[in-house]
Amino acid sequence: MRTIFITSVAVFLLWVVPTSCTKYQLEQERRPELYASAYDFEYRVSANNYRYLVPVAHNRISEETLRKKVSGQGWNTTAVYQINQDKEVIKEYVLVTGGTISSARNETSPDYLIFSDDSQSVSFYEFWDDLDKPGAYETDPFTYDATDNAITLPIWFGSWGGNGRLVFLSSDTMVCVCTHDKDYAGTELIFMEILQRVSKKERQSWIDRCPNYGLRDY
């Protein structure tokens, strides 16, 4: 009887622990301070003498590495933060899928991205609560400059502009930091977005839910 009980416990642990570990790992990887040592900031001057702030990644991520890890994969946002130049969190955004987004409640929509097999383009998926419009997607070209980890993707989170930098990349986590203009007080706006790679099953579910290419609500 004791042997059966021990065996049952062992089987239960084998079934439960991976799920718990995965959830714990996801929560850990959402912590912005985990990536603080991966980047800094510096000021640059444009051709018309405009002084602007940009993120500077400490570790160069080669284009080959990037494309190997993201090609054909689906990624979605698990956290978005507004931070300051000391890398402290000013605001953590609430991720809302479907419905109305409220800036008063610090809400934003998560990004759902599928990189093409050659990583030359990215499809950006959106989902609505309206059953007549379950979702849609559009595709934009994707470029990456490995000299400073710069990302160019027009449809990706409006704040990226031209100053988005990939500061961390693993097989399942992508972290981007972006500076974007200034607020009304003249302080630079800085954002961090953390994305996780999704399973093939979840990636396919986005495609199945978004049959109408380029359908937009505006």
Side-chain angles (χ1 to χ4, degrees), residues 7-20:
T7 303
S8 299
V9 170
V11 170
F12 176 76
L13 288 175
L14 284 173
W15 178 72
V16 170
V17 170
T19 303
S20 301

Side-chain angles (χ1 to χ4, degrees), residues 59-74:
N59 296 318
R60 177 178 173 272
I61 299 171
S62 71
E63 186 170 351
E64 180 183 6
T65 297
L66 172 74
R67 300 197 185 282
K68 181 179 179 181
K69 291 186 177 181
V70 306
S71 293
Q73 302 290 342

Side-chain angles (χ1 to χ4, degrees), residues 39-46 50-56 83-87 159-165 177-182 186-191:
Y39 65 97
D40 274 309
F41 299 103
E42 70 177 31
Y43 279 98
R44 295 180 182 175
V45 179
S46 66
Y50 175 73
R51 189 167 179 262
Y52 63 100
L53 188 72
V54 296
V56 178
I83 59 177
N84 60 24
Q85 290 188 54
D86 294 324
K87 307 173 189 177
S159 65
W160 288 150
N163 296 327
R165 299 292 186 270
V177 174
C178 176
T179 54
H180 179 63
D181 298 330
K182 297 182 180 181
T187 302
E188 286 84 358
L189 295 172
I190 308 170
F191 299 94

Side-chain angles (χ1 to χ4, degrees), residues 132-169:
D132 292 331
K133 295 181 179 178
Y137 74 94
E138 60 178 314
T139 301
D140 253 4
F142 172 75
T143 62
Y144 177 73
D145 185 349
T147 58
D148 58 359
N149 294 15
I151 294 170
T152 302
L153 182 61
I155 55 176
W156 191 352
F157 193 34
S159 65
W160 288 150
N163 296 327
R165 299 292 186 270
L166 182 62
V167 300
F168 178 86
L169 179 67

